Amino acid sequence: MNKILLKRTLAPQVSLIEVDAPDIAKKALAGQFVVLRIDQNGERIPLTIADSNPSKGTITIVFQKIGASTRLLDRLNQGDSILDLLGPLGHPAHIENMGTVVCIGGGVGIAEIYPVAKAYKNAGNRVISVLGARNKDLIIFADEISRVSDECHITTDDGSLGKKGLVSDVLKEIMGKEKVSLVSAVGPTIMMKVISDLTKPYNIKTYVSLNPIMLDATGMCGVCRVTVGGKVKFACVDGPEFDGHEVDFAELMSRQKLYIDEEKRSVERHCSDENPNCRCKG
Amino acid sequence: MRNKPRLRDPKERAGDFNEVSMGYSPEQAKEEASRCIQCKNPQCVKGCPVNINIPAFIKLIAEGDPAAALDKIKEKNNLPAVCGRVCPQEDQCEKMCILGRKGEPIAIGYLERYASDYGNKNSQSRNTKQSSLDKKVAVVGAGPAGLTCAADLAKDGFSVTLFESLHGPGGVLSYGIPEFRLPKKIVNDEVEYIRSLGVDIRYNMMIGGIFTVKELFAQGYKAIFLGSGAGLPKFMGIPGENLNGVYSANEFLTRVNLMKAYRFPEFMTPVRIGKKVAVVGGGNVAMDSARSALRLGAEKVCIVYRRSKEEMPARIEEAENALEEGIEFRLLTSPTKIIGDEKGWVRSMECIKMELGEKDESGRRKFIPLKGSEYVMEIDTVIMAIGQSPNPLIGNSCSELKREKWGGVIADPETGQTSIPGVFAGGDIVTGAATVISAMGAGKKAAEAIRKHLG
């Protein structure tokens, strides 16, 4: 059991929890993730470690309420405990001093790019961050990311904060202005695909952190398999970070839709207002 | 004549996940036990990887005392209710039984199961030794090898911590073998017994990630046993394997068994089973997958295996159970590609027919594809049950640990000693995917070696 020591709402559908996990906090590196299970009937859900504090013994997780499990997770409050917490999992992000690194976060991926940006900064890079979301409410972690960036750009689909448009538009501008050594992107799969397509002709190394469906997340089941450079890789143990120019994004996007119907049924069963079994209500 | 165990009706049992075999009644067990001629030099014991005193426990059953029989078994075997159900006795103890030469061997497995099921309440088997903290041992993996090693060491007074990466115990007993063959309550009861011996089990701890082997030594563990199994699923490498609707058997069975997807949406992990399911492979895992698919409501399930029935590695009993329940067997057949629709879902599978040739070095007859025999079968789900490799995570975090090219940890077969002093290994991580009881045997040998190593 791991206690939630702090909980904050970052945006209408996005929450942050700080969880007591001393052993994980000591080991966690940028780009790694945990798997958690809320209760005995729960799924194993993979979530990126957004921050870790070894001296306090805590890790920070930011999640968006998308499916039934994340909605149930959001029912937990400060002082409540998470039944199972496994980590750190996956390879850390490749961090080295490359020169100028552009770190791109889309939606809840903004919180996930934060530790990566911080690590690139600490490694001596010039860090340019680009944060994008649908609207201003969904721009999270902007202060934290600004602190570890030399430049920080914000874009929103509706123009309610920063520039109206997409993160790829801003990346294009930056590439026009200065030499970019490396791009690291976390966010919706389609965003990571667009970014990778954009940098490929210029041969700018581009890392993406993939989020396929996972089950055990320790290399046992293979549901997270992705094709990278023509080879089958398990994102949980071989990734989650891969070379964006090598990833078969079409296959990944198809595989991410595997359980769309079941997700809906699960939300209806566990989280709908009309359902007496709903566990989202108090 | 050997007593037949009570089996549920195939039609009824194929509709649920309750246990298929009901084992022996007390009368049947007594009768079967009385057939044992109590050899002075019992061959059956030689066939048992953990050397249970088989004639002695059978005698106690014949005398009507299953609790005493269970205590006798537990002197050597820490998981009797599991072994009574899933050991391939026909290749081990029962194969050696002298009665089998002219007639049918004693049903040792069913008697072991009976002793466990009926004797558990009155069993006296409890640990009396106090663990001594200066002899800390870390065991990695709460599957058959790790549980056995941990239990034996705890019985000897060692302070044992068992690290498990999943959220529950049992390893393959929990994620792999289905409820209808091995009820999870049985596994949990056996694990409770092992905990009562003083073993401290820590879940959600993936060694190689959270702690390395070196760090475990630094924490004061004097010896380490690695029993993390063969969890890495194999795929065939044919086109279409990443289509939606293709599972590794590990994924499919983990969803169904460990995560209880057969009770979705009450349990939140989903599993999707189509109408027509092909399971590729001929081992017990293939049988378990096929029979689970049937129970989840598939209309048609077939096993696709490249050799013939004689070469099939599955237990005969399990293949017969599958056949009775309506599983179709397409033997001498191997997939060549999986074909999908425009949305990326499986629609059909192309297979090629095989014939058998000379025996290869493993003693099994080689299969030879018959040119031009390709045909397409309509299916919407494929489950790949063609084997697993050792989980590489611990080895990757520990370069001193020597491994075979195929990934197995190199360990002395008699002691489990690896290339690192104080580190022992056993079970599927050493041999590749094998049986529950052989892993238990390796755990037992390693416990003995650790005892000697720590003097």
Side-chain angles (χ1 to χ4, degrees), chain A residues 27 37 41 43-44 68 84-87 218-221 223 225 227 251 254-255 259 261-262 270 279, chain B residues 167 204 210 215 231-233 241-242 244 246-248 250-251 255 259 264-268 272 393:
Chain A
K27 276 285 166 95
R37 212 165 65 107
N41 291 15
E43 285 181 282
R44 295 169 65 91
D84 295 297
L85 183 67
L86 165 69
T218 62
M220 261 178 49
C221 84
V223 67
R225 58 194 187 276
T227 303
E251 180 185 274
S254 166
R255 290 186 63 78
Y259 288 108
D261 297 343
E262 285 78 3
H270 296 281
R279 299 195 289 152
Chain B
H167 56 258
N204 301 308
I210 192 81
E215 285 165 336
L232 193 70
E241 269 184 313
N242 290 355
N244 289 347
V246 183
Y247 291 98
S248 73
N250 262 10
E251 184 200 343
R255 284 183 184 277
M259 306 311 292
F264 179 85
E266 178 197 356
F267 282 76
M268 295 176 78
R272 185 177 275 212
L393 289 172

Side-chain angles (χ1 to χ4, degrees), chain A residues 26-46:
Chain A
K26 256 180 238 163
K27 276 285 166 95
L29 293 169
Q32 290 188 297
F33 65 101
V34 291
V35 156
L36 61 82
R37 212 165 65 107
I38 301 159
D39 59 30
Q40 289 298 346
N41 291 15
E43 285 181 282
R44 295 169 65 91
I45 28 179

